[in-house]
Amino acid sequence: MMTFLNRWALRSFLCLQLLLLLGCAATSPNVQLPQKEPSTAYLKRLHPRVILVLGSGSARGFAHAGVLKALEDNHIPIDMIVGTSAGSIVGALYADNPSADSVEKILLKTQRNEVIDFSLMDLTQGPISGNGLQNFLITHLKAHNFEQLHIPFVAIATNLHSGELHVFGSGPIAPAVNASSAAPPFFRPVSLYGKTYIDGGLIDPVAVDVAKRFHPALIIAVSLNYPLSKSLPTNGPSVFLRGFDMMMIRLNNYSAAEAQIIIRPEPVNDVNMFDNTQGETLMQIGFAATEKAIPEIKKQLARRHIALTPPDKTSETV
């Protein structure tokens, strides 16, 4: 699960150079991409009561599955999902099949090399092509286009030309989520509809501002912060990376600030950008953080006269 550099980025990059000798690129995804980006007019007709915003966070994105499990267990309605980077991957899976158990199983059984594919082609653009991620999504999603999803969903990316935020909510899902998750310098930028995109977490890690465009009654945001190391850096590169961490933590907090509910699953230990060995632990952390927020969520729902979802039924899309 992908987003911006963290304190492990330099070490990860060196590891990637070694892995390139062993890795091979995934086959090109079978996606019929329109020349022009399809209209998102259908989104303007939505009137969601509750929007769930899933933030970026690389491998910490496993925590999102635990968040979804806790919300589901407590019958919290979800009328729309906004996802950035790792949040776009988990968000797409859940929007396609609103079952936290299903999402957990998919994430836990998937091997890292199924999603993270290395290629010597166009190496200057990044060692990871993104084909593996797209094929993973194509394999596990019943829907092909955004319009076919069970729960309305949008993915947030950064336009590399303009530096502006871009909201994908129409057309093929897999390349849009790839664009939302294309973290430099590892993942290659993604060209879609005549433009080039990179990871949305670089400018809007918890896209509450996008959720507000739909005028929901309640926004629940999940911010995947991580703790700074207690040991101070000892050289120039590590000082730079720590400064980058500080900047991104502050951006995370700013990006999520206007949500009525902010859930912050915070891992106790550092989590490497490509580490999928702590998936179950991160899911438990996400579940526990959400359980603590449930009383306030239910209070906010009651204040807005929003009923809980009946047991064994998913939230009705609006």
PDB file of all heavy atoms in Angstrom, residues 228-265:
ATOM      1  N   LEU A 228       7.052   9.589  15.299  1.00  0.00           N
ATOM      2  CA  LEU A 228       8.448   9.874  14.997  1.00  0.00           C
ATOM      3  C   LEU A 228       9.341   8.978  15.850  1.00  0.00           C
ATOM      4  O   LEU A 228       9.009   8.653  16.999  1.00  0.00           O
ATOM      5  CB  LEU A 228       8.774  11.336  15.288  1.00  0.00           C
ATOM      6  CG  LEU A 228       8.216  12.384  14.331  1.00  0.00           C
ATOM      7  CD1 LEU A 228       8.467  13.777  14.896  1.00  0.00           C
ATOM      8  CD2 LEU A 228       8.837  12.247  12.955  1.00  0.00           C
ATOM      9  N   SER A 229      10.458   8.585  15.288  1.00  0.00           N
ATOM     10  CA  SER A 229      11.420   7.785  16.044  1.00  0.00           C
ATOM     11  C   SER A 229      11.922   8.572  17.250  1.00  0.00           C
ATOM     12  O   SER A 229      12.122   9.791  17.181  1.00  0.00           O
ATOM     13  CB  SER A 229      12.595   7.402  15.142  1.00  0.00           C
ATOM     14  OG  SER A 229      13.613   6.784  15.897  1.00  0.00           O
ATOM     15  N   LYS A 230      12.117   7.886  18.367  1.00  0.00           N
ATOM     16  CA  LYS A 230      12.598   8.546  19.575  1.00  0.00           C
ATOM     17  C   LYS A 230      14.079   8.899  19.468  1.00  0.00           C
ATOM     18  O   LYS A 230      14.570   9.759  20.203  1.00  0.00           O
ATOM     19  CB  LYS A 230      12.348   7.649  20.787  1.00  0.00           C
ATOM     20  CG  LYS A 230      10.871   7.444  21.100  1.00  0.00           C
ATOM     21  CD  LYS A 230      10.678   6.579  22.329  1.00  0.00           C
ATOM     22  CE  LYS A 230       9.196   6.393  22.629  1.00  0.00           C
ATOM     23  NZ  LYS A 230       8.962   5.523  23.827  1.00  0.00           N
ATOM     24  N   SER A 231      14.787   8.228  18.574  1.00  0.00           N
ATOM     25  CA  SER A 231      16.217   8.523  18.399  1.00  0.00           C
ATOM     26  C   SER A 231      16.394   9.586  17.330  1.00  0.00           C
ATOM     27  O   SER A 231      15.745   9.540  16.274  1.00  0.00           O
ATOM     28  CB  SER A 231      16.977   7.257  18.007  1.00  0.00           C
ATOM     29  OG  SER A 231      16.462   6.722  16.810  1.00  0.00           O
ATOM     30  N   LEU A 232      17.239  10.550  17.599  1.00  0.00           N
ATOM     31  CA  LEU A 232      17.474  11.628  16.657  1.00  0.00           C
ATOM     32  C   LEU A 232      18.342  11.154  15.491  1.00  0.00           C
ATOM     33  O   LEU A 232      19.209  10.291  15.661  1.00  0.00           O
ATOM     34  CB  LEU A 232      18.150  12.799  17.353  1.00  0.00           C
ATOM     35  CG  LEU A 232      17.285  13.597  18.338  1.00  0.00           C
ATOM     36  CD1 LEU A 232      18.123  14.677  19.005  1.00  0.00           C
ATOM     37  CD2 LEU A 232      16.086  14.208  17.622  1.00  0.00           C
ATOM     38  N   PRO A 233      18.132  11.707  14.292  1.00  0.00           N
ATOM     39  CA  PRO A 233      18.960  11.327  13.138  1.00  0.00           C
ATOM     40  C   PRO A 233      20.400  11.776  13.345  1.00  0.00           C
ATOM     41  O   PRO A 233      20.672  12.752  14.053  1.00  0.00           O
ATOM     42  CB  PRO A 233      18.294  12.067  11.981  1.00  0.00           C
ATOM     43  CG  PRO A 233      17.565  13.208  12.614  1.00  0.00           C
ATOM     44  CD  PRO A 233      17.106  12.706  13.952  1.00  0.00           C
ATOM     45  N   THR A 234      21.305  11.067  12.684  1.00  0.00           N
ATOM     46  CA  THR A 234      22.731  11.334  12.901  1.00  0.00           C
ATOM     47  C   THR A 234      23.461  11.770  11.642  1.00  0.00           C
ATOM     48  O   THR A 234      24.662  12.018  11.679  1.00  0.00           O
ATOM     49  CB  THR A 234      23.413  10.066  13.447  1.00  0.00           C
ATOM     50  OG1 THR A 234      23.195   8.983  12.523  1.00  0.00           O
ATOM     51  CG2 THR A 234      22.851   9.692  14.822  1.00  0.00           C
ATOM     52  N   ASN A 235      22.759  11.857  10.513  1.00  0.00           N
ATOM     53  CA  ASN A 235      23.420  12.292   9.283  1.00  0.00           C
ATOM     54  C   ASN A 235      22.437  13.078   8.432  1.00  0.00           C
ATOM     55  O   ASN A 235      21.235  13.129   8.720  1.00  0.00           O
ATOM     56  CB  ASN A 235      23.982  11.091   8.506  1.00  0.00           C
ATOM     57  CG  ASN A 235      22.912  10.042   8.239  1.00  0.00           C
ATOM     58  OD1 ASN A 235      21.876  10.337   7.651  1.00  0.00           O
ATOM     59  ND2 ASN A 235      23.165   8.809   8.675  1.00  0.00           N
ATOM     60  N   GLY A 236      22.974  13.696   7.388  1.00  0.00           N
ATOM     61  CA  GLY A 236      22.159  14.562   6.549  1.00  0.00           C
ATOM     62  C   GLY A 236      20.930  13.904   5.949  1.00  0.00           C
ATOM     63  O   GLY A 236      19.820  14.426   6.071  1.00  0.00           O
ATOM     64  N   PRO A 237      21.071  12.743   5.284  1.00  0.00           N
ATOM     65  CA  PRO A 237      19.889  12.099   4.701  1.00  0.00           C
ATOM     66  C   PRO A 237      18.821  11.751   5.732  1.00  0.00           C
ATOM     67  O   PRO A 237      17.623  11.936   5.476  1.00  0.00           O
ATOM     68  CB  PRO A 237      20.472  10.836   4.060  1.00  0.00           C
ATOM     69  CG  PRO A 237      21.883  11.187   3.752  1.00  0.00           C
ATOM     70  CD  PRO A 237      22.314  12.068   4.887  1.00  0.00           C
ATOM     71  N   SER A 238      19.235  11.263   6.910  1.00  0.00           N
ATOM     72  CA  SER A 238      18.241  10.893   7.923  1.00  0.00           C
ATOM     73  C   SER A 238      17.572  12.123   8.524  1.00  0.00           C
ATOM     74  O   SER A 238      16.397  12.081   8.896  1.00  0.00           O
ATOM     75  CB  SER A 238      18.882  10.039   9.022  1.00  0.00           C
ATOM     76  OG  SER A 238      19.908  10.743   9.697  1.00  0.00           O
ATOM     77  N   VAL A 239      18.315  13.244   8.597  1.00  0.00           N
ATOM     78  CA  VAL A 239      17.700  14.496   9.040  1.00  0.00           C
ATOM     79  C   VAL A 239      16.648  14.940   8.037  1.00  0.00           C
ATOM     80  O   VAL A 239      15.545  15.366   8.403  1.00  0.00           O
ATOM     81  CB  VAL A 239      18.767  15.594   9.224  1.00  0.00           C
ATOM     82  CG1 VAL A 239      18.105  16.957   9.444  1.00  0.00           C
ATOM     83  CG2 VAL A 239      19.672  15.270  10.407  1.00  0.00           C
ATOM     84  N   PHE A 240      16.977  14.836   6.741  1.00  0.00           N
ATOM     85  CA  PHE A 240      16.017  15.203   5.699  1.00  0.00           C
ATOM     86  C   PHE A 240      14.753  14.349   5.805  1.00  0.00           C
ATOM     87  O   PHE A 240      13.632  14.868   5.736  1.00  0.00           O
ATOM     88  CB  PHE A 240      16.644  15.042   4.321  1.00  0.00           C
ATOM     89  CG  PHE A 240      15.646  15.154   3.202  1.00  0.00           C
ATOM     90  CD1 PHE A 240      15.193  16.402   2.790  1.00  0.00           C
ATOM     91  CD2 PHE A 240      15.142  14.023   2.576  1.00  0.00           C
ATOM     92  CE1 PHE A 240      14.255  16.521   1.768  1.00  0.00           C
ATOM     93  CE2 PHE A 240      14.204  14.130   1.559  1.00  0.00           C
ATOM     94  CZ  PHE A 240      13.766  15.372   1.153  1.00  0.00           C
ATOM     95  N   LEU A 241      14.923  13.045   5.957  1.00  0.00           N
ATOM     96  CA  LEU A 241      13.772  12.153   6.016  1.00  0.00           C
ATOM     97  C   LEU A 241      12.917  12.424   7.250  1.00  0.00           C
ATOM     98  O   LEU A 241      11.690  12.369   7.188  1.00  0.00           O
ATOM     99  CB  LEU A 241      14.231  10.690   6.003  1.00  0.00           C
ATOM    100  CG  LEU A 241      14.840  10.216   4.687  1.00  0.00           C
ATOM    101  CD1 LEU A 241      15.366   8.803   4.826  1.00  0.00           C
ATOM    102  CD2 LEU A 241      13.826  10.301   3.561  1.00  0.00           C
ATOM    103  N   ARG A 242      13.566  12.751   8.364  1.00  0.00           N
ATOM    104  CA  ARG A 242      12.790  13.082   9.564  1.00  0.00           C
ATOM    105  C   ARG A 242      12.014  14.384   9.354  1.00  0.00           C
ATOM    106  O   ARG A 242      10.856  14.509   9.766  1.00  0.00           O
ATOM    107  CB  ARG A 242      13.705  13.203  10.784  1.00  0.00           C
ATOM    108  CG  ARG A 242      12.948  13.402  12.110  1.00  0.00           C
ATOM    109  CD  ARG A 242      13.921  13.450  13.274  1.00  0.00           C
ATOM    110  NE  ARG A 242      13.251  13.642  14.550  1.00  0.00           N
ATOM    111  CZ  ARG A 242      12.787  12.649  15.310  1.00  0.00           C
ATOM    112  NH1 ARG A 242      12.897  11.397  14.895  1.00  0.00           N
ATOM    113  NH2 ARG A 242      12.218  12.902  16.469  1.00  0.00           N
ATOM    114  N   GLY A 243      12.659  15.342   8.704  1.00  0.00           N
ATOM    115  CA  GLY A 243      11.955  16.585   8.388  1.00  0.00           C
ATOM    116  C   GLY A 243      10.774  16.340   7.467  1.00  0.00           C
ATOM    117  O   GLY A 243       9.707  16.948   7.627  1.00  0.00           O
ATOM    118  N   PHE A 244      10.954  15.427   6.505  1.00  0.00           N
ATOM    119  CA  PHE A 244       9.859  15.084   5.599  1.00  0.00           C
ATOM    120  C   PHE A 244       8.722  14.443   6.385  1.00  0.00           C
ATOM    121  O   PHE A 244       7.547  14.739   6.159  1.00  0.00           O
ATOM    122  CB  PHE A 244      10.369  14.144   4.511  1.00  0.00           C
ATOM    123  CG  PHE A 244       9.406  13.977   3.367  1.00  0.00           C
ATOM    124  CD1 PHE A 244       9.478  14.806   2.265  1.00  0.00           C
ATOM    125  CD2 PHE A 244       8.438  12.986   3.395  1.00  0.00           C
ATOM    126  CE1 PHE A 244       8.595  14.664   1.207  1.00  0.00           C
ATOM    127  CE2 PHE A 244       7.554  12.830   2.345  1.00  0.00           C
ATOM    128  CZ  PHE A 244       7.629  13.673   1.244  1.00  0.00           C
ATOM    129  N   ASP A 245       9.074  13.559   7.317  1.00  0.00           N
ATOM    130  CA  ASP A 245       8.061  12.939   8.171  1.00  0.00           C
ATOM    131  C   ASP A 245       7.269  13.997   8.925  1.00  0.00           C
ATOM    132  O   ASP A 245       6.036  13.937   8.998  1.00  0.00           O
ATOM    133  CB  ASP A 245       8.724  11.997   9.198  1.00  0.00           C
ATOM    134  CG  ASP A 245       9.189  10.701   8.577  1.00  0.00           C
ATOM    135  OD1 ASP A 245       8.788  10.409   7.440  1.00  0.00           O
ATOM    136  OD2 ASP A 245       9.959   9.977   9.232  1.00  0.00           O
ATOM    137  N   MET A 246       7.974  14.959   9.503  1.00  0.00           N
ATOM    138  CA  MET A 246       7.312  16.019  10.273  1.00  0.00           C
ATOM    139  C   MET A 246       6.335  16.796   9.389  1.00  0.00           C
ATOM    140  O   MET A 246       5.214  17.111   9.794  1.00  0.00           O
ATOM    141  CB  MET A 246       8.359  16.964  10.862  1.00  0.00           C
ATOM    142  CG  MET A 246       9.226  16.349  11.935  1.00  0.00           C
ATOM    143  SD  MET A 246      10.531  17.521  12.442  1.00  0.00           S
ATOM    144  CE  MET A 246      11.336  16.581  13.739  1.00  0.00           C
ATOM    145  N   MET A 247       6.787  17.101   8.187  1.00  0.00           N
ATOM    146  CA  MET A 247       5.947  17.846   7.254  1.00  0.00           C
ATOM    147  C   MET A 247       4.689  17.054   6.909  1.00  0.00           C
ATOM    148  O   MET A 247       3.578  17.594   6.906  1.00  0.00           O
ATOM    149  CB  MET A 247       6.733  18.153   5.985  1.00  0.00           C
ATOM    150  CG  MET A 247       5.939  18.912   4.927  1.00  0.00           C
ATOM    151  SD  MET A 247       6.929  19.210   3.439  1.00  0.00           S
ATOM    152  CE  MET A 247       7.025  17.542   2.769  1.00  0.00           C
ATOM    153  N   MET A 248       4.839  15.758   6.649  1.00  0.00           N
ATOM    154  CA  MET A 248       3.704  14.947   6.238  1.00  0.00           C
ATOM    155  C   MET A 248       2.734  14.693   7.399  1.00  0.00           C
ATOM    156  O   MET A 248       1.519  14.617   7.201  1.00  0.00           O
ATOM    157  CB  MET A 248       4.180  13.625   5.645  1.00  0.00           C
ATOM    158  CG  MET A 248       4.959  13.775   4.344  1.00  0.00           C
ATOM    159  SD  MET A 248       4.140  14.845   3.109  1.00  0.00           S
ATOM    160  CE  MET A 248       2.603  13.960   2.826  1.00  0.00           C
ATOM    161  N   ILE A 249       3.271  14.573   8.613  1.00  0.00           N
ATOM    162  CA  ILE A 249       2.389  14.414   9.777  1.00  0.00           C
ATOM    163  C   ILE A 249       1.533  15.672   9.945  1.00  0.00           C
ATOM    164  O   ILE A 249       0.325  15.597  10.198  1.00  0.00           O
ATOM    165  CB  ILE A 249       3.215  14.139  11.048  1.00  0.00           C
ATOM    166  CG1 ILE A 249       3.823  12.728  10.979  1.00  0.00           C
ATOM    167  CG2 ILE A 249       2.356  14.272  12.302  1.00  0.00           C
ATOM    168  CD1 ILE A 249       4.820  12.440  12.076  1.00  0.00           C
ATOM    169  N   ARG A 250       2.158  16.821   9.795  1.00  0.00           N
ATOM    170  CA  ARG A 250       1.414  18.077   9.906  1.00  0.00           C
ATOM    171  C   ARG A 250       0.373  18.198   8.790  1.00  0.00           C
ATOM    172  O   ARG A 250      -0.759  18.635   9.026  1.00  0.00           O
ATOM    173  CB  ARG A 250       2.383  19.260   9.872  1.00  0.00           C
ATOM    174  CG  ARG A 250       1.740  20.596  10.229  1.00  0.00           C
ATOM    175  CD  ARG A 250       2.786  21.680  10.388  1.00  0.00           C
ATOM    176  NE  ARG A 250       2.186  22.939  10.784  1.00  0.00           N
ATOM    177  CZ  ARG A 250       1.911  23.287  12.032  1.00  0.00           C
ATOM    178  NH1 ARG A 250       2.170  22.442  13.021  1.00  0.00           N
ATOM    179  NH2 ARG A 250       1.373  24.455  12.316  1.00  0.00           N
ATOM    180  N   LEU A 251       0.747  17.795   7.562  1.00  0.00           N
ATOM    181  CA  LEU A 251      -0.189  17.840   6.451  1.00  0.00           C
ATOM    182  C   LEU A 251      -1.351  16.882   6.691  1.00  0.00           C
ATOM    183  O   LEU A 251      -2.503  17.204   6.398  1.00  0.00           O
ATOM    184  CB  LEU A 251       0.526  17.482   5.141  1.00  0.00           C
ATOM    185  CG  LEU A 251      -0.333  17.459   3.872  1.00  0.00           C
ATOM    186  CD1 LEU A 251      -0.995  18.810   3.635  1.00  0.00           C
ATOM    187  CD2 LEU A 251       0.510  17.056   2.664  1.00  0.00           C
ATOM    188  N   ASN A 252      -1.045  15.702   7.224  1.00  0.00           N
ATOM    189  CA  ASN A 252      -2.094  14.737   7.562  1.00  0.00           C
ATOM    190  C   ASN A 252      -3.114  15.354   8.522  1.00  0.00           C
ATOM    191  O   ASN A 252      -4.328  15.255   8.331  1.00  0.00           O
ATOM    192  CB  ASN A 252      -1.464  13.507   8.217  1.00  0.00           C
ATOM    193  CG  ASN A 252      -1.677  12.232   7.430  1.00  0.00           C
ATOM    194  OD1 ASN A 252      -1.622  12.236   6.212  1.00  0.00           O
ATOM    195  ND2 ASN A 252      -1.913  11.149   8.113  1.00  0.00           N
ATOM    196  N   ASN A 253      -2.599  15.986   9.573  1.00  0.00           N
ATOM    197  CA  ASN A 253      -3.481  16.594  10.571  1.00  0.00           C
ATOM    198  C   ASN A 253      -4.314  17.730   9.975  1.00  0.00           C
ATOM    199  O   ASN A 253      -5.519  17.854  10.254  1.00  0.00           O
ATOM    200  CB  ASN A 253      -2.656  17.115  11.744  1.00  0.00           C
ATOM    201  CG  ASN A 253      -2.007  15.994  12.546  1.00  0.00           C
ATOM    202  OD1 ASN A 253      -2.477  14.852  12.533  1.00  0.00           O
ATOM    203  ND2 ASN A 253      -0.925  16.305  13.234  1.00  0.00           N
ATOM    204  N   TYR A 254      -3.694  18.535   9.144  1.00  0.00           N
ATOM    205  CA  TYR A 254      -4.395  19.646   8.508  1.00  0.00           C
ATOM    206  C   TYR A 254      -5.473  19.128   7.557  1.00  0.00           C
ATOM    207  O   TYR A 254      -6.599  19.641   7.517  1.00  0.00           O
ATOM    208  CB  TYR A 254      -3.396  20.527   7.755  1.00  0.00           C
ATOM    209  CG  TYR A 254      -4.026  21.648   6.963  1.00  0.00           C
ATOM    210  CD1 TYR A 254      -4.412  22.833   7.588  1.00  0.00           C
ATOM    211  CD2 TYR A 254      -4.239  21.513   5.593  1.00  0.00           C
ATOM    212  CE1 TYR A 254      -5.003  23.856   6.865  1.00  0.00           C
ATOM    213  CE2 TYR A 254      -4.822  22.531   4.864  1.00  0.00           C
ATOM    214  CZ  TYR A 254      -5.205  23.705   5.503  1.00  0.00           C
ATOM    215  OH  TYR A 254      -5.789  24.709   4.770  1.00  0.00           O
ATOM    216  N   SER A 255      -5.118  18.099   6.791  1.00  0.00           N
ATOM    217  CA  SER A 255      -6.024  17.553   5.784  1.00  0.00           C
ATOM    218  C   SER A 255      -7.281  16.953   6.411  1.00  0.00           C
ATOM    219  O   SER A 255      -8.372  17.040   5.854  1.00  0.00           O
ATOM    220  CB  SER A 255      -5.275  16.486   4.969  1.00  0.00           C
ATOM    221  OG  SER A 255      -6.024  16.025   3.879  1.00  0.00           O
ATOM    222  N   ALA A 256      -7.140  16.362   7.600  1.00  0.00           N
ATOM    223  CA  ALA A 256      -8.270  15.679   8.257  1.00  0.00           C
ATOM    224  C   ALA A 256      -9.080  16.589   9.171  1.00  0.00           C
ATOM    225  O   ALA A 256     -10.160  16.204   9.628  1.00  0.00           O
ATOM    226  CB  ALA A 256      -7.744  14.496   9.066  1.00  0.00           C
ATOM    227  N   ALA A 257      -8.583  17.783   9.435  1.00  0.00           N
ATOM    228  CA  ALA A 257      -9.077  18.598  10.546  1.00  0.00           C
ATOM    229  C   ALA A 257     -10.571  18.889  10.532  1.00  0.00           C
ATOM    230  O   ALA A 257     -11.193  18.996  11.587  1.00  0.00           O
ATOM    231  CB  ALA A 257      -8.296  19.918  10.591  1.00  0.00           C
ATOM    232  N   GLU A 258     -11.198  19.015   9.370  1.00  0.00           N
ATOM    233  CA  GLU A 258     -12.592  19.461   9.319  1.00  0.00           C
ATOM    234  C   GLU A 258     -13.601  18.318   9.344  1.00  0.00           C
ATOM    235  O   GLU A 258     -14.800  18.549   9.203  1.00  0.00           O
ATOM    236  CB  GLU A 258     -12.815  20.338   8.085  1.00  0.00           C
ATOM    237  CG  GLU A 258     -12.064  21.672   8.169  1.00  0.00           C
ATOM    238  CD  GLU A 258     -12.513  22.651   7.110  1.00  0.00           C
ATOM    239  OE1 GLU A 258     -13.723  22.925   7.028  1.00  0.00           O
ATOM    240  OE2 GLU A 258     -11.647  23.142   6.354  1.00  0.00           O
ATOM    241  N   ALA A 259     -13.133  17.094   9.541  1.00  0.00           N
ATOM    242  CA  ALA A 259     -14.064  15.979   9.707  1.00  0.00           C
ATOM    243  C   ALA A 259     -14.692  16.038  11.094  1.00  0.00           C
ATOM    244  O   ALA A 259     -14.050  16.455  12.063  1.00  0.00           O
ATOM    245  CB  ALA A 259     -13.341  14.654   9.519  1.00  0.00           C
ATOM    246  N   GLN A 260     -15.948  15.632  11.201  1.00  0.00           N
ATOM    247  CA  GLN A 260     -16.597  15.608  12.523  1.00  0.00           C
ATOM    248  C   GLN A 260     -16.015  14.508  13.411  1.00  0.00           C
ATOM    249  O   GLN A 260     -15.929  14.655  14.621  1.00  0.00           O
ATOM    250  CB  GLN A 260     -18.112  15.397  12.379  1.00  0.00           C
ATOM    251  CG  GLN A 260     -18.874  16.587  11.835  1.00  0.00           C
ATOM    252  CD  GLN A 260     -18.894  16.619  10.320  1.00  0.00           C
ATOM    253  OE1 GLN A 260     -18.394  15.725   9.654  1.00  0.00           O
ATOM    254  NE2 GLN A 260     -19.494  17.663   9.764  1.00  0.00           N
ATOM    255  N   ILE A 261     -15.610  13.409  12.786  1.00  0.00           N
ATOM    256  CA  ILE A 261     -14.997  12.295  13.500  1.00  0.00           C
ATOM    257  C   ILE A 261     -13.659  11.988  12.841  1.00  0.00           C
ATOM    258  O   ILE A 261     -13.593  11.801  11.621  1.00  0.00           O
ATOM    259  CB  ILE A 261     -15.875  11.025  13.453  1.00  0.00           C
ATOM    260  CG1 ILE A 261     -17.260  11.285  14.053  1.00  0.00           C
ATOM    261  CG2 ILE A 261     -15.172   9.858  14.149  1.00  0.00           C
ATOM    262  CD1 ILE A 261     -17.274  11.460  15.551  1.00  0.00           C
ATOM    263  N   ILE A 262     -12.588  11.943  13.631  1.00  0.00           N
ATOM    264  CA  ILE A 262     -11.277  11.568  13.107  1.00  0.00           C
ATOM    265  C   ILE A 262     -10.779  10.355  13.884  1.00  0.00           C
ATOM    266  O   ILE A 262     -10.624  10.394  15.104  1.00  0.00           O
ATOM    267  CB  ILE A 262     -10.250  12.717  13.230  1.00  0.00           C
ATOM    268  CG1 ILE A 262     -10.773  13.978  12.542  1.00  0.00           C
ATOM    269  CG2 ILE A 262      -8.920  12.287  12.616  1.00  0.00           C
ATOM    270  CD1 ILE A 262      -9.851  15.182  12.710  1.00  0.00           C
ATOM    271  N   ILE A 263     -10.548   9.269  13.176  1.00  0.00           N
ATOM    272  CA  ILE A 263     -10.022   8.044  13.762  1.00  0.00           C
ATOM    273  C   ILE A 263      -8.535   7.982  13.428  1.00  0.00           C
ATOM    274  O   ILE A 263      -8.142   8.121  12.268  1.00  0.00           O
ATOM    275  CB  ILE A 263     -10.759   6.811  13.203  1.00  0.00           C
ATOM    276  CG1 ILE A 263     -12.251   6.899  13.538  1.00  0.00           C
ATOM    277  CG2 ILE A 263     -10.155   5.519  13.762  1.00  0.00           C
ATOM    278  CD1 ILE A 263     -13.097   5.867  12.840  1.00  0.00           C
ATOM    279  N   ARG A 264      -7.696   7.769  14.441  1.00  0.00           N
ATOM    280  CA  ARG A 264      -6.249   7.790  14.246  1.00  0.00           C
ATOM    281  C   ARG A 264      -5.624   6.474  14.725  1.00  0.00           C
ATOM    282  O   ARG A 264      -5.143   6.401  15.854  1.00  0.00           O
ATOM    283  CB  ARG A 264      -5.609   8.965  14.995  1.00  0.00           C
ATOM    284  CG  ARG A 264      -6.162  10.336  14.599  1.00  0.00           C
ATOM    285  CD  ARG A 264      -5.425  11.436  15.334  1.00  0.00           C
ATOM    286  NE  ARG A 264      -6.023  12.738  15.144  1.00  0.00           N
ATOM    287  CZ  ARG A 264      -5.789  13.551  14.107  1.00  0.00           C
ATOM    288  NH1 ARG A 264      -4.957  13.158  13.165  1.00  0.00           N
ATOM    289  NH2 ARG A 264      -6.383  14.737  14.012  1.00  0.00           N
ATOM    290  N   PRO A 265      -5.613   5.450  13.881  1.00  0.00           N
ATOM    291  CA  PRO A 265      -4.901   4.217  14.254  1.00  0.00           C
ATOM    292  C   PRO A 265      -3.400   4.472  14.196  1.00  0.00           C
ATOM    293  O   PRO A 265      -2.863   4.761  13.131  1.00  0.00           O
ATOM    294  CB  PRO A 265      -5.331   3.214  13.175  1.00  0.00           C
ATOM    295  CG  PRO A 265      -6.480   3.858  12.455  1.00  0.00           C
ATOM    296  CD  PRO A 265      -6.272   5.328  12.585  1.00  0.00           C
TER     297      PRO A 265
END
